[in-house]
Structure formats: structure tokens, C-alpha cells
Amino acid sequence: MSAPTSTPSASSESAAADCDLLAPDAGPKPLGPTPSQSRFQVDIVAEAGGATEDKSPTSDASTTAPSSDAAAPPAGPGASGGEEAKGRFRVVNFADPSEAGSPASPEAQGEGLQNGDTVMSETSLHSSTGGPHHYHYDTHTHTYYMRTFGHNTIDAVPNIDFYRQTAAPLGEKLIRPTLSELHDELDKEPFEDGFANGDELTPPEEAAAKEAADNKGVVKFGWVKGVLVRCMLNIWGVMLFIRMSWIVGQAGIALACLIVAMATVVTTITGLSTSAIATNGFVRGGGAYYLISRSLGPEFGGSIGLIFAFANAVAVAMYVVGFAETVSELLAGVDASMTDEVNDIRIIGTITVVLLLGISLAGMEWEAKAQIFLLVVLITAIINYFIGSFIPSPAKKPLGYFGYDGSIMWENMGPDFREETFFSVFAIFFPAATGILAGANISGDLSDPQLAIPRGTMLAILITGIVYLGVAVSTGSCIVRDATGNINDTVSSQFMMNCTDAACKLGYDFSTCVKGAENPCRYGLQNDFQVMSMVSGFGPLITAGIFSATLSSALASLVSAPKVFQALCKDNIYPGLGMFAKGYGKNNEPLRGYILTFVIALAFILIAELNIIAPIISNFFLASYALINFSVFHASLANSPGWRPSFKYYNMWVSLIGAILCCVVMFVINWWAALMTNVIVLGLFIYVSYKKPDVNWGSSTQALTYHQALTHTLHLSGVEDHIKNFRPQCLVMTGYPNSRPALLDLVHSFTKNVGLMVCGHIRTGYRRPNFKELSTDQSRYQRWLLKNETKAFYTPVFAEDMRQGAQFLLQAAGLGRLKPNTLVLGFKNDWRDGDMMNVETYISMIHDSFDYQFGAVILRLKEGLDVSHIQGQDDLLSSQEKSSGMKDVIVSIDTSKDSDADSSKPSSKATSIQNSPAMQKDDDEDGKATTQPLLKKDKKSPSVPLNVSDQRLLEASQQFLKKQGKGTVDVWWLFDDGGLTLLIPYLLTNKKRWKDCKIRVFIGGKINRIDHDRRAMATLLSKFRIDFSDINVLGDINTKPKKEHVSAFEEMIEPYRLKEDDMEQEAAERLKDSEPWRITDNELELYRAKTNRQIRLNELLKEHSSTANLIVMSLPLARKGAVSSALYMAWLEVLSKELPPILLVRGNHQSVLTFYS
């Protein structure tokens, strides 16, 4: 939507406000600008006219005209009012994105009229919230207006479609009017549309969303079929029928119920955590992976997602082998084995998994129908057992079943562990309680995941927990632990008086086979895994239940693994797996994932021995549960405003306990499998962290990082500074960070991991500043710093001139204790070539830094610093920016459009005429900055040959990135500034690149006290614990410099002298006022000795330090108001010319070094 370009007249506005009723004009459909598909989509119809005869005189709403292409019918007598309203507003409809809206009939015009603001026609589109809107078109300003609260305004009422992500599957994203369109002046061009705070989708997500939006007739499941059924089938496994009775025999009724309760507590807490995450926003496909990755970030999500998908794939093999073993035993029972036992399992398992794959490939609808059938069989088998437990049968008594009896219940109440412990029995049972994520794993196939996952998962945990407890109490109350199966092992009534065990009291003596007997019992809770089949009313139904439990679990895992794996591949966490992200058909089925899962499952089925892999798989599931619980704790701890689950029945501390319990259970089940799981998760975590996937999901890790940073910053603000903790925190005037690489690299060398570094950029201009562009640049160049592993912050400001901008930065840069204390500038090499007022500004910035109690540092390279005019520098735009559709580099300039000093969008090294550092009057120009913008280097085009000076400049700009060989850092500590001149070279030589360089210290002294001064300095340095290789005492600093050097200096300053003795006093004063930088004769004479010292120091520097890797020297001071900027600049010029890289340093004269502990 474009901003208005001109303002309607006041009379038109008042007339428009007074015109409550507008009628369709008789003219044809007018032409107007076509808005973007993503913005207010309107269908411009007839111009507004006067009131028609069928309108209510009290109606305060506009009529919505037909949206057909045909001309509107004649308006009738009231059409004369159309001329009056012409040029004001046209009545429009909100276009139906699906084009489902039918054109309104003429009758609909009348029907659409209602009282107040709720006018609506049949063609109007209701928003997702059900709120009707009216949109109008202003022919004068080319702006679309919405009728809100009875007024025509561009402002928009709250609408769910504004908050959708791009290409969201639930509806089309609309973009609300930008602040610029509502707030900016009418003659200003609007800003481009953007996304707020990470609303934009990554390319994989956008592709998935579009895919979802395009699919018509997609099969979606409710909470019963999608979650409840799947979870119940997965939790009710083979364990229910063939191990639950054995667990009661070992642990007793009480401890068996405790085992079930403990497992249920863990799964319930995990279920609550899953519900909380699932209701904290729209959930896409991917199940546990999606929940964890969007909560904790791609590192945890990527590591868990891979092992979770693999665990589900291997779980298919486990369940199928369980089924095949049961079938093999049945075949052996009727003497119908095909080959040997192992090969029978392989054959049956292979056939079974092929059939399951066929059901899965047939589509989710068929798979869901199969699950419903299997659930019916399973529930029938459970009911069959409970019915059988109430039917007494004398034939079953020798097998240990006597019906419900208090003595049996009491006898089985306590434990009777035989070669087992409580925890080993718990480890055997716990995998039966898993499977609670079966519904969440197909989150992409649920019609409303936020409702379905909490309701279905929690209800499944409740139902299955009750059934497990019921089976434990039931089997323990009607079946004894040991039985012979011999019908003759009865006792007479006379011996029953002395019985101690329940079976004896009921007339049977099973003592011949109890513990320690030669022939162990074959029946009873402890010995017969098929007890429930024996007790049930119809035995084969229990077998059918076992089949149902195994096949349903296998089918659920066979569906879950590809779905999770597909979501993982779509996010491109692991490069190379993208081929498995492709979906097919209306349900976006991951057919390739199905085939991969089938291959993995088949491989493990052919092994046929899963006792080793089983505990690892259980631990993989538990690791997922632990991280889901931890996600809720972490998100709550981070206290992010975005953490607002609609499911309120969770607690962060309960979730933390759940995460700890999951970890404990991992080690209880199998300690070596738990260790292996942790190693695998840690390895994948490190890999994903190293690869740094290009995603931003607003994870709680980001929120907690912010929370901790804020907390620590506030805490730090309450602590007084101490000399021992002083750090150089530098405000570096780099301009664009990539414009002066040498300055950036050198400062980064001694601030990295030590102190704060802020890259300041002052943008000046005569026109109004473009703050939106400034914000965009801030994020763009901050990413560039991160990409180049430079630990710094980029802070641009708009200002009237450079000095004002520097003052802004000196005052406002930083936060709390994290504020700069040292200003770093590049030397202004071109100071003699341009406007001398720029020199005045430059020197004033140095004075201001001292006024603000900052230290000052100036870097000079003889080749210069600014490389922004050279083509082919490294690319600024990261892959993230390119994929997000950000603007690419500029390749041309239109100077007539905008004369703002920094209005153009910069490229990697691209600067326009206006924003080139020379035109900005930036702080360290060397005359190399031309008016040509930098173009992005094209790989196909030949590189432009560089001239000699540019070649040297490029080489010099990279010198601090290289490892410095064996050399020296010469410290000319001539004046005590608090120790900053000494601290910076110490920090430098502690870095890897500079560690081979030795520190040489140069100090001033008297010829007759050279040894004394050297010893005194050596003592001071040793107390500071700073290593040095040599100390040189210079006794000839005050010697007069060579005449030719003095003459050269005088020649250099000649153009800048005021020469007040050669003119009238009044004229001299006027000239000094207009050109304050000029050097007076009086000033020159007064500071003659200081001038000679700078010239002499340059001679000594060339004599002693011409081969140094870096010179660090005390910056000479000039008294503010007494020394003109031209003279001070000349001092800096003559002091530092024709030398290796030199750093002129002056602290704020407060101690930064101490020798006290």
C-alpha cells in the first residue's frame, strides 16, 4: 500500500465526513492501483454517489456495491449526488482470497445496509474473528481506507490475519498498515514492508506452509482418532498380557501398583509438559522434534529429532519381532514350524513389516482405520480377561487360578523377588508406559493439535494407568504365585487346619515345586507368562490382543518415524538429508521416509535378537521425555513474554522434577545404555552447534540468554569499579565496520574476550534522516560482525555533523557498566586536502572525549585505513539475508533523488557518493575515497586491476589479521596517563597473533640519570607483572631537531597561519572567528618548544623503531582554546609520519594498572 501523495482539501474531508450514505454511480468500474496480494485486497467498484431512495435516512454506513465486472445499473434519481462526492471515496469490497464469494445481486445492496458500523454485504469477507470490515478507496490520494468505528481511516482494527506467518496454512497473511504509512508526512515515500521480530518463515517452513495451504481435501484427525487411540494402543503393549502378571508375582500387589504409579507419574508429568508446549502456539508436523526444537532451539531439537526418529524405526522391528515370536510359538505348538525358530521369526517378521508398510503407504486414513480395528480387538481382549476372572473353573485350580480370594490377595500383597530387584522389575515394566508421544508425532495430521494433544494424551495416560492398576490388583487377588498344574495335588480337610499358604487353605498343595524344589513350578504368577490367557473367558482373544498390541505399536512407530524425520529434514538441520523432506499426495506423505524406516526395521528384524538394542531404544525415548520436560522448565525460567500456553495445568518445578526422573529412570533401566544415549545426544548437539543452522525459532534458549544478560548487567551496575577489573572498552569510529578493516582488527585484537567494542558510525546529511534504513543497517552490519567472528557491536547514529554525532555516541553508547571508556579514531590522512573545518571537527572530537573522561587512541598507517572505494571486498550479505529476500547491493547512483549524506543502502563495501567516508567528513580519511560506489564482485567478470597505492592499502588493511612474527611492540611511554599506554600493548601481546612479539619500553630521562631511570622503570614494570625485553631511556628528547625538518614543518603549516601581524587587528579577529582553525603567530611562538619536541620525537622514532611491528606512543595533548586545531593536527602529522603502524594513546589520567592484590 502506498502512502498518500497529496492531501485532500479540507472541504472535501468535511464533505466526506458528512456524507453518511453513498450510492453506486452509474459509470463503469473505475481504474485504480492494484494492491499487493498480501495487503488489503479490494475490488474497486462504482464511485460513491448520493443517497438512493431505498436507503434508511438514519443509516451511518456505506453500501457495498456488486463486485462483478459488469457496469453497475443506473443509479436512479439520487445519482445527481454522485458528482458532489466524486473524487472523494469509492466503495470497495474485501476480496475473497479463495474467490469463493459470489457477486452480490442487486437485492443484496439493500440487504447489506445495516445500522452503525456493522454494514456488510454478501460479498464481504468475514475475518477469522467474525468481524466485518468495510474498505473504501480515496481516488484523490490513491489510498485504501477501512471504515472503522464509523470513520474512514487507513488504520486497521485487530485481525487474526495480521498475525499469521507468511503462507500460513490456516489462512492468508495480511499486512497491517505500517507505522510509516500512518505517521509519515504525505509527501514522503513510504518505507518498504517488513516483518516484525522474526515473523518471517525460513524457506523450508515457507515451502511447507505453502504446501499445506495448497492441499485441498487433506485428511485431518480429531483428538480421539488422532491422539487418544494411538496413545492407548502404544501404551498398551505386549507387557499388559504377558509380563504384568509376572511383575505382580515378583513385586507383589503393593509394589506392582507402586511401579505402575511411578511410571505413570513420569509419563503424566511429561504429558503435562507436552500439553504446555503444544498449546503455546500453532504446532506443525514433527511431534517431539518440533516441540523440542521450537522450545530449546535447533541444537537440542536436531540431536533429539534424529535419535527419536531412529528409535521409532527400530521400535517397529522390536514390536514386529514380538509379534513374530508369538506366532512362531503358536506354530511350534501345533507342530507347524517352517524351519528353525530364528528363521521362522525372520520370515514372519518380514512378511508382517511388508504388510504394515502397505497399510502406511495407503495413506493416513487407512492407517487410522486399521488402528481403530486393532483398538477394538485390544479392548475386547482386556474385557475378556476381566470377565474370565469372575468365572470360577475347577479345571483351572491346579494351574493356580482360584477366583477372587482375600487370602490370595493378602499373600500376594508383599514382594517375592526371585533373582530380581525392585529396580530391575521396574526397568522391565517402564517401556510399557512409553508411547505417550504417539499422537504428538503426527501433529501435522491433526485438525487442532492444541486441543487434541493435551486432551488425548492425558486421557490416554489416565485410562491406561487405571487398566494397568486393575490388572495388577486382579491377577494378584485370584492367582497364586506357584502351581504344579497337577489335578491330584489336593489336600484333605484334616490337613487344611495346619496350612499356612493360600493354596493349601483352598485345598491344593503346591509345595512340591516351590522355591528350592528339584522340579520348579510351571504355572502361577511367577512361572507362566500366559496366565491371563488361562484366566480369560476365551483364551484365543488374549492371543488376538497380543497381536493387536504388537501390530498397533509397530504401525504407530512406522508412521511416527517418517513424520518426525521429514520435519527434521525440512528444517535442513543436517545437510544432505534434504531428499527425505519431500512429501507426496494431498497429505504430504513422506514416502521416502517410509521406505527408509522400512529398510531400518527390516535390518533389525533379520538380526532377530533385540535384547541388546531394546534398552538403548527405551533410553532414546526417555531422553526425548527428559528434554520435553526440561523445555517447559527452561521456557518458564526464561520468563519470555512469548511463553503463554493456553494449557495452564503445569508447573516449571514439576517439569524439572520430571526431567530429572526421566534421567534417573534411564540409568535404572540400563546404565551403559544411558551413558551411550547421553554421548550420542551430546555428539549430535556439538555437531549442530558447530554447523550453526540458519534458523531463528525464538527458542527459550534465546529468551534465557537475554534474561541472564539483563540480570547480570543490572547486577554489574550495582558494583563499584575497581582498578584490577579495568578493561579498555572502546568506542571505535569505524564508519561502516568493513570500511576500515585494520582499525577494526587491531582494536578487536586487544578487546576480544577482554572488553567491550562498539563500532560507531555517524551519518550526516541535510535532509531528513531515514531511521528505518538506519535500523536495517544496524541489524545487517551486526550480522556481518558476527559472521566475521568480530566480537563487537555496531551503533549508527544520525547527526547534523560529525562532532554532534560523536557527542551522541560518547554520551549514549553502551548500557550500565558496559559503556565505552576509550575513543578510538583513525588518523585523518587527508586533513590538508579538504575543508579545514573538518579538521576543526576532528580535533574537537578528541577534546570532547577528554571532556567526557574518555581515553583517546589514534591509529595511523602510512598507507591509510579506508578501503571502501576498492572493488571486490568480501561480501557483506550472509546467506540468511539473501534467503530472507533482503535487498542486494546497489550498482548505480541517482544523485538527483536524495542528497542525504547517507541515504543509500550500502552493499558489502558499497558506498554511494553521499555515504562515502570522504563526503561524510568521517574521522580518518586518507584521500582515497572516490565517489564511485562499490559493486558486488561478479565471479564471472574479470576483477578490476588495482593501482599501486590501492594494492598497498589492501595489503596494509589485512596486516593485523596475520600472525605477527618475531618482532617488537615499541612502547613510548613518555607521559603517565594512568597506564593505558602500557596496558594496551600488554593485552595485545597476550593474544595468539602477537605472542611472539616482545615489548620494548622507551621513556624520557636525563643523560646523567639514565641508569637510575631504567632501574626505576624496571621496578615499576615488574610490580605491574608486565614482561618486557628492553628499556631505553632517551636523554636527548629535548635536543633541537634538524633544520630541514623544522623547515618542512613550517612549510607545511604556512597555508594555515593567520599572520595577524600583517593585517589590521579587526580584520584578523574577523578571520579568526570565521576560520578558528588558523594558527596565530603568538600561539606558534608560545608552543615553539612543544613543536620542536614533536619533530624531534619523529626523528627518534625513525631511529629506534623503524622496524617495529607496532609503535604505541603517548598522545601529545593540546590545551583546549589555546592551541588551534591546525597546529595540533600538524603536531600529530609530524610526530607520526613515515613510520610503521603507530597507536597514539592517552588515558584519562586515572589509574588502570595497580600492583596491589
Side-chain angles (χ1 to χ4, degrees):
M1 181 185 293
S2 61
T5 55
S6 59
T7 312
S9 64
S11 61
S12 295
E13 285 182 349
S14 59
D18 294 334
C19 183
D20 292 332
L21 300 171
L22 305 175
D25 188 39
K29 180 175 178 179
L31 299 175
T34 304
S36 166
Q37 284 282 315
S38 62
R39 192 166 276 292
F40 299 129
Q41 300 184 30
V42 299
D43 181 16
I44 305 173
V45 291
E47 290 184 0
T52 55
E53 56 186 0
D54 62 337
K55 292 181 179 176
S56 167
T58 59
S59 174
D60 183 30
S62 302
T63 306
T64 304
S67 59
S68 66
D69 291 332
S80 58
E83 290 302 316
E84 184 183 347
K86 193 171 183 178
R88 296 183 203 141
F89 299 103
R90 293 179 182 175
V91 187
V92 297
N93 286 333
F94 194 100
D96 187 347
S98 63
E99 297 181 328
S102 59
S105 62
E107 291 81 3
Q109 300 173 25
E111 294 171 2
L113 291 171
Q114 300 184 19
N115 292 330
D117 299 325
T118 57
V119 138
M120 200 72 191
S121 77
E122 291 179 9
T123 53
S124 297
L125 177 68
H126 287 264
S127 72
S128 300
T129 55
H133 303 302
H134 255 318
Y135 298 88
H136 304 270
Y137 177 66
D138 183 350
T139 58
H140 186 58
T141 62
H142 301 292
T143 303
Y144 295 98
Y145 288 86
M146 182 172 63
R147 193 166 181 80
T148 308
F149 315 127
H151 299 282
N152 293 311
T153 173
I154 195 176
D155 224 342
V157 295
N159 188 332
I160 190 173
D161 294 324
F162 293 142
Y163 296 90
R164 297 194 192 282
Q165 289 182 321
T166 310
L170 296 183
E172 184 172 0
K173 177 180 175 64
L174 300 180
I175 299 178
R176 68 180 63 80
T178 65
L179 190 61
S180 306
E181 291 166 342
L182 297 172
H183 174 260
D184 283 0
E185 298 169 28
L186 292 176
D187 62 340
K188 187 171 183 180
E189 292 187 10
F191 295 135
E192 295 165 1
D193 296 334
F195 296 104
N197 301 327
D199 273 353
E200 67 271 25
L201 295 173
T202 58
E205 287 178 323
E206 190 160 353
K210 284 180 180 176
E211 215 168 35
D214 291 342
N215 291 333
K216 305 297 180 187
V218 174
V219 177
K220 296 287 185 180
F221 303 114
W223 68 274
V224 175
K225 190 185 289 188
V227 182
L228 179 65
V229 169
R230 292 172 187 281
C231 288
M232 286 170 62
L233 283 170
N234 244 23
I235 296 171
W236 281 333
V238 186
M239 206 67 69
L240 177 65
F241 296 108
I242 63 176
R243 285 291 185 274
M244 198 64 226
S245 57
W246 175 85
I247 288 169
V248 174
Q250 289 280 348
I253 295 173
L255 290 185
C257 290
L258 180 62
I259 286 170
V260 173
M262 286 172 60
T264 305
V265 164
V266 173
T267 54
T268 300
I269 294 174
T270 307
L272 293 172
S273 299
T274 305
S275 302
I277 300 175
T279 58
N280 190 51
F282 181 71
V283 178
R284 289 192 175 85
Y289 160 72
Y290 186 88
L291 298 178
I292 294 173
S293 63
R294 268 48 175 189
S295 296
L296 289 178
E299 294 84 6
F300 280 111
S303 54
I304 281 296
L306 198 61
I307 67 166
F308 190 75
F310 177 76
N312 272 292
V314 178
V316 175
M318 289 177 56
Y319 295 128
V320 169
V321 167
F323 169 78
E325 284 178 350
T326 309
V327 175
S328 178
E329 288 175 10
L330 288 175
L331 291 176
V334 295
D335 199 21
S337 298
M338 290 175 281
T339 56
D340 58 277
E341 182 183 354
V342 173
N343 284 324
D344 279 2
I345 292 173
R346 288 171 177 164
I347 294 168
I348 296 166
T350 302
I351 296 170
T352 305
V353 78
V354 169
L355 291 173
L356 292 177
L357 177 67
I359 294 173
S360 301
L361 293 179
M364 289 296 293
E365 197 169 3
W366 281 96
E367 187 267 348
K369 289 176 181 176
Q371 294 280 29
I372 293 289
F373 171 75
L374 293 172
L375 180 65
V376 170
V377 173
L378 192 57
I379 292 175
T380 304
I382 294 170
I383 294 171
N384 173 52
Y385 159 74
F386 280 108
I387 291 173
S389 67
F390 287 98
I391 301 174
S393 173
K396 295 179 182 179
K397 288 184 178 181
L399 303 177
Y401 167 67
F402 293 92
Y404 290 101
D405 189 273
S407 60
I408 296 176
M409 182 179 181
W410 183 250
E411 184 178 85
N412 290 338
M413 190 63 69
D416 182 19
F417 293 112
R418 302 178 188 177
E419 300 179 2
E420 299 289 347
T421 64
F422 174 79
F423 286 110
S424 67
V425 173
F426 176 77
I428 289 169
F429 171 77
F430 187 82
T434 60
I436 60 171
L437 295 181
N441 287 339
I442 62 160
S443 53
D445 296 293
L446 301 175
S447 56
D448 186 1
Q450 292 182 296
L451 171 71
I453 292 175
R455 185 178 291 180
T457 304
M458 298 312 298
L459 189 57
I461 293 172
L462 177 65
I463 293 171
T464 53
I466 290 172
V467 170
Y468 273 126
L469 288 173
V471 170
V473 173
S474 173
T475 53
S477 301
C478 64
I479 308 168
V480 295
R481 281 192 167 103
D482 299 289
T484 59
N486 189 345
I487 197 170
N488 298 318
D489 287 341
T490 56
V491 291
S492 60
S493 57
Q494 60 184 12
F495 289 106
M496 290 172 62
M497 301 297 295
N498 301 321
C499 286
T500 55
D501 60 281
C504 182
K505 291 176 183 178
L506 294 171
Y508 279 83
D509 180 16
F510 298 138
S511 59
T512 57
C513 69
V514 294
K515 286 187 295 184
E518 293 182 7
N519 298 316
C521 296
R522 293 177 54 203
Y523 299 97
L525 293 175
Q526 288 272 26
N527 313 294
D528 185 10
F529 290 153
Q530 302 294 334
V531 160
M532 289 183 67
S533 180
M534 178 265 292
V535 172
S536 65
F538 183 62
L541 266 181
I542 297 296
T543 304
I546 294 171
F547 289 173
S548 172
T550 52
L551 292 178
S552 63
S553 297
L555 195 54
S557 297
L558 185 58
V559 170
S560 296
K563 295 280 185 183
V564 173
F565 194 56
Q566 182 186 34
L568 179 69
C569 295
K570 278 183 178 178
D571 288 334
N572 201 26
I573 301 295
Y574 299 100
L577 298 180
M579 61 177 291
F580 294 102
K582 184 173 175 57
Y584 297 86
K586 61 183 180 181
N587 262 54
N588 195 30
E589 295 289 351
L591 299 187
R592 296 174 180 177
Y594 281 129
I595 301 301
L596 179 64
T597 305
F598 168 75
V599 171
I600 293 172
L602 189 60
F604 281 97
I605 287 169
L606 295 178
I607 294 172
E609 288 293 334
L610 294 176
N611 292 337
I612 295 176
I613 201 77
I616 298 178
I617 301 307
S618 296
N619 275 291
F620 281 1
F621 286 125
L622 276 167
S624 305
Y625 295 173
L627 277 181
I628 286 175
N629 284 311
F630 183 72
S631 297
V632 172
F633 169 75
H634 199 269
S636 302
L637 184 66
N639 201 24
S640 170
W643 173 248
R644 303 185 302 274
S646 56
F647 183 86
K648 302 298 182 185
Y649 305 102
Y650 73 94
N651 180 276
M652 61 182 288
W653 300 110
V654 172
S655 295
L656 179 62
I657 292 169
I660 295 170
L661 283 176
C662 288
C663 294
V664 170
V665 171
M666 286 172 68
F667 283 92
V668 165
I669 290 177
N670 191 303
W671 66 269
W672 61 262
L675 283 178
M676 184 177 293
T677 302
N678 287 328
V679 168
I680 293 171
V681 171
L682 183 62
L684 292 171
F685 178 88
I686 292 171
Y687 171 79
V688 178
S689 300
Y690 174 76
K691 296 296 288 185
K692 291 184 177 62
D694 195 9
V695 294
N696 180 14
W697 294 324
S699 66
S700 61
T701 306
Q702 297 171 355
L704 188 62
T705 302
Y706 172 85
H707 184 267
Q708 290 173 335
L710 183 61
T711 303
H712 292 153
T713 304
L714 289 169
H715 178 71
L716 196 62
S717 299
V719 180
E720 289 295 325
D721 283 332
H722 194 279
I723 300 173
K724 287 194 296 184
N725 293 327
F726 175 85
R727 298 161 184 266
Q729 305 195 125
C730 298
L731 172 59
V732 191
M733 307 303 284
T734 59
Y736 292 115
N738 50 1
S739 297
R740 296 164 181 83
L743 185 64
L744 188 77
D745 296 337
L746 182 64
V747 178
H748 185 245
S749 295
F750 63 81
T751 58
K752 181 182 179 182
N753 299 329
V754 173
L756 175 71
M757 178 177 172
V758 177
C759 296
H761 183 190
I762 303 162
R763 301 179 64 169
T764 59
Y766 301 102
R767 292 193 58 181
R768 74 192 77 171
N770 187 336
F771 291 108
K772 176 78 175 286
E773 183 183 304
L774 192 74
S775 175
T776 304
D777 280 353
Q778 201 281 331
S779 58
R780 177 188 288 130
Y781 283 98
Q782 189 62 56
R783 277 196 291 269
W784 182 88
L785 289 169
L786 291 172
K787 181 184 174 185
N788 286 271
E789 298 181 351
T790 302
K791 298 184 177 180
F793 299 94
Y794 172 65
T795 306
V797 293
F798 270 118
E800 294 293 331
D801 55 46
M802 290 297 295
R803 184 178 184 184
Q804 186 191 59
Q807 289 173 339
F808 289 166
L809 290 170
L810 288 166
Q811 293 178 81
L815 186 70
R817 293 278 183 214
L818 299 177
K819 288 181 73 71
N821 53 30
T822 306
L823 177 68
V824 183
L825 300 167
F827 184 76
K828 191 168 182 60
N829 274 358
D830 67 338
W831 68 277
R832 286 178 287 175
D833 300 335
D835 186 352
M836 283 302 291
M837 286 306 294
N838 297 332
V839 176
E840 180 75 17
T841 301
Y842 180 77
I843 299 302
S844 297
M845 288 165 63
I846 299 174
H847 289 314
D848 290 340
S849 70
F850 295 134
D851 289 342
Y852 289 114
Q853 293 298 299
F854 273 57
V857 177
I858 299 175
L859 172 66
R860 181 173 188 180
L861 303 185
K862 57 188 174 186
E863 298 87 357
L865 290 170
D866 183 39
V867 299
S868 62
H869 61 287
I870 302 175
Q871 285 193 13
Q873 297 304 300
D874 25 330
D875 194 1
L876 170 67
L877 294 177
S878 67
S879 59
Q880 179 182 3
E881 291 173 291
K882 289 177 180 173
S883 64
S884 301
M886 291 191 66
K887 293 289 178 283
D888 213 324
V889 296
I890 45 171
V891 295
S892 62
I893 301 172
D894 182 4
T895 53
S896 63
K897 181 179 177 182
D898 198 348
S899 60
D900 189 2
D902 247 334
S903 62
S904 64
K905 289 182 172 62
S907 68
S908 57
K909 298 291 179 181
T911 54
S912 70
I913 288 178
Q914 295 92 339
N915 65 32
S916 66
M919 299 305 292
Q920 287 177 357
K921 312 297 187 287
D922 214 339
D923 45 83
D924 57 66
E925 279 313 301
D926 55 8
K928 302 287 193 303
T930 66
T931 58
Q932 175 185 349
L934 260 175
L935 309 182
K936 190 173 75 170
K937 190 173 182 179
D938 188 352
K939 294 179 181 178
K940 296 181 181 179
S941 63
S943 58
V944 180
L946 299 176
N947 58 42
V948 176
S949 62
D950 281 349
Q951 188 64 43
R952 287 176 181 167
L953 173 59
L954 266 184
E955 291 173 1
S957 69
Q958 304 296 320
Q959 63 181 310
F960 298 128
L961 287 174
K962 303 172 186 173
K963 182 174 175 59
Q964 306 294 315
K966 290 186 178 180
T968 62
V969 175
D970 289 356
V971 182
W972 291 64
W973 197 15
L974 304 179
F975 308 103
D976 194 330
D977 60 348
L980 186 63
T981 309
L982 191 61
L983 180 61
I984 287 176
Y986 165 75
L987 294 174
L988 260 182
T989 53
N990 272 349
K991 300 299 180 181
K992 190 175 180 180
R993 288 177 188 157
W994 292 84
K995 67 184 179 69
D996 292 336
C997 292
K998 304 295 184 184
I999 292 179
R1000 293 196 303 175
V1001 179
F1002 295 81
I1003 59 172
K1006 295 180 180 178
I1007 296 177
N1008 58 349
R1009 295 185 54 183
I1010 286 179
D1011 288 339
H1012 176 272
D1013 291 344
R1014 182 183 288 112
R1015 284 195 300 271
M1017 179 54 63
T1019 302
L1020 181 59
L1021 292 176
S1022 63
K1023 283 184 177 291
F1024 284 150
R1025 303 171 303 283
I1026 292 177
D1027 294 330
F1028 59 91
S1029 64
D1030 193 15
I1031 296 175
N1032 293 280
V1033 181
L1034 305 170
D1036 53 350
I1037 289 179
N1038 291 325
T1039 305
K1040 284 189 177 182
K1042 295 178 182 178
K1043 288 184 179 180
E1044 60 267 28
H1045 294 155
V1046 175
S1047 300
F1049 178 82
E1050 290 177 348
E1051 185 181 340
M1052 177 176 68
I1053 65 170
E1054 182 66 25
Y1056 312 115
R1057 293 181 60 180
L1058 181 63
K1059 298 181 181 179
E1060 67 271 25
D1061 294 341
D1062 299 341
M1063 62 178 75
E1064 295 180 3
Q1065 183 178 354
E1066 189 176 339
E1069 288 177 357
R1070 278 201 307 271
L1071 183 60
K1072 182 66 175 174
D1073 288 341
S1074 62
E1075 298 179 350
W1077 42 266
R1078 286 200 175 272
I1079 306 168
T1080 64
D1081 294 340
N1082 181 47
E1083 170 193 3
L1084 194 59
E1085 193 59 38
L1086 184 62
Y1087 292 103
R1088 176 72 63 186
K1090 195 164 187 175
T1091 299
N1092 289 338
R1093 187 190 307 143
Q1094 311 311 320
I1095 301 171
R1096 176 61 183 156
L1097 281 172
N1098 182 257
E1099 294 173 354
L1100 292 171
L1101 283 164
K1102 289 177 180 176
E1103 178 184 343
H1104 295 283
S1105 298
S1106 59
T1107 59
N1109 294 57
L1110 178 69
I1111 301 170
V1112 182
M1113 188 176 195
S1114 296
L1115 172 71
L1117 283 181
R1119 189 171 296 280
K1120 190 167 57 172
V1123 179
S1124 63
S1125 56
L1127 181 58
Y1128 190 25
M1129 198 72 220
W1131 286 351
L1132 299 181
E1133 169 70 31
V1134 75
L1135 174 66
S1136 59
K1137 69 178 182 179
E1138 298 172 2
L1139 289 171
I1142 181 168
L1143 209 58
L1144 300 173
V1145 179
R1146 176 68 69 152
N1148 63 359
H1149 286 247
Q1150 294 180 4
S1151 296
V1152 300
L1153 294 171
T1154 181
F1155 44 76
Y1156 294 107
S1157 59

